[in-house]
Amino acid sequence: ETGVTQTPRHLVMGMTNKKSLKCEQHLGHNAMYWYKQSAKKPLELMFVYSLEERVENNSVPSRFSPECPNSSHLFLHLHTLQPEDSALYLCASSQEIWSGETQYFGPGTRLLVL
Amino acid sequence: AQSVTQLDSQVPVFEEAPVELRCNYSSSVSVYLFWYVQYPNQGLQLLLKYLSGSTLVESINGFEAEFNKSQTSFHLRKPSVHISDTAEYFCAVSDQGSSNTGKLIFGQGTTLQVKP
């Protein structure tokens, strides 16, 4: 595997389910990000991790819970979601936390909440 | 706070024609500027970025963008497009300040549709 991988690629869940999204980067980067991409809205940054420490939580509801066990893996735990949470969830990584760094994106997980 | 406006949601163009995708931003501080491209069923990938120096930046596949500070713009251009350029294009900015956490502010995206 190369670059940034995400699993699953598609997920359908009910509002009472609990599920997790997984992201893995094979680039040796120190920073990882979760973004939400909704239809007709700009990409929204959700969380930023640097060396496994959360450095940004962009006012995300508590039903989204991130976890970064090491610098290569990032999870997004989901519980009691709402239909409006249906979106494409993108993971990204960068070498360092720096505003000029290039971010490398995974293909995303397409989430549908029923 | 920063914001990014991409003035066109869709741009249809014929193959081999020139194209310009417009991007304007608003910020009270100095920013870095980016263009990312998203092909169908893929994540975003960097097309080009402006950090400092020459205001004209180029990508390896023929795109270029010019940073215009007075007009707060970073328009993307290509003199001759190919079918394979069909994708969604995102303009983004980030704060140059030391407190920045790598946060990118994105525009809403422009769908470039190249027709044969």
Side-chain angles (χ1 to χ4, degrees):
Chain A
E1 295 277 16
T2 59
V4 180
T5 58
Q6 291 186 243
T7 54
R9 293 293 308 274
H10 297 88
L11 179 63
V12 180
M13 60 186 290
M15 290 190 284
T16 59
N17 291 157
K18 290 185 180 181
K19 297 286 185 184
S20 295
L21 310 185
K22 179 183 176 181
C23 173
E24 184 173 1
Q25 58 96 359
H26 310 267
L27 300 168
H29 288 168
N30 293 320
M32 296 188 78
Y33 311 77
W34 278 117
Y35 286 89
K36 178 183 180 182
Q37 186 177 22
S38 305
K40 300 184 180 179
K41 290 180 69 176
L43 273 80
E44 303 170 64
L45 179 67
M46 300 175 73
F47 302 103
V48 181
Y49 277 82
S50 175
L51 295 170
E52 301 129 55
E53 178 183 347
R54 190 190 309 179
V55 297
E56 176 91 18
N57 178 346
N58 203 29
S59 303
V60 179
S62 60
R63 58 186 183 269
F64 295 91
S65 175
E67 178 190 3
C68 188
N70 55 62
S71 59
S72 298
H73 293 86
L74 186 65
F75 294 89
L76 188 63
H77 303 300
L78 317 171
H79 65 97
T80 59
L81 294 191
Q82 305 299 312
E84 59 264 29
D85 296 322
S86 298
L88 182 67
Y89 288 86
L90 292 166
C91 174
S93 70
S94 64
Q95 184 64 55
E96 303 291 346
I97 288 288
W98 175 57
S99 53
E101 281 283 355
T102 297
Q103 294 184 19
Y104 294 79
F105 286 79
T109 294
R110 175 82 51 193
L111 174 67
L112 177 61
V113 181
L114 300 177
Chain B
Q2 294 95 38
S3 66
V4 177
T5 301
Q6 291 183 243
L7 296 163
D8 306 296
S9 59
Q10 293 188 4
V11 174
V13 64
F14 286 105
E15 195 173 16
E16 298 183 5
V19 70
E20 178 181 79
L21 307 183
R22 296 179 292 170
C23 173
N24 287 88
Y25 69 92
S26 173
S27 177
S28 58
V29 299
S30 296
V31 296
Y32 297 124
L33 296 145
F34 304 79
W35 276 100
Y36 281 85
V37 59
Q38 186 177 30
Y39 298 103
N41 300 314
Q42 296 185 29
L44 281 71
Q45 52 187 280
L46 181 73
L47 192 58
L48 46 76
K49 65 181 178 182
Y50 172 78
L51 301 181
S52 65
S54 172
T55 56
L56 184 66
V57 290
E58 299 177 352
S59 73
I60 58 172
N61 56 353
F63 283 94
E64 64 179 31
E66 186 156 22
F67 169 49
N68 188 319
K69 189 173 183 179
S70 63
Q71 296 187 5
T72 60
S73 68
F74 191 54
H75 300 332
L76 182 70
R77 302 183 183 93
K78 189 171 185 179
S80 176
V81 295
H82 302 289
I83 296 287
S84 58
D85 293 323
T86 295
E88 190 154 17
Y89 292 78
F90 294 92
C91 182
V93 302
S94 66
D95 177 358
Q96 288 188 22
S98 59
S99 63
N100 185 273
T101 56
K103 183 175 183 176
L104 286 172
I105 305 298
F106 283 89
Q108 291 191 295
T110 297
T111 301
L112 175 63
Q113 188 173 25
V114 181
K115 303 176 180 179

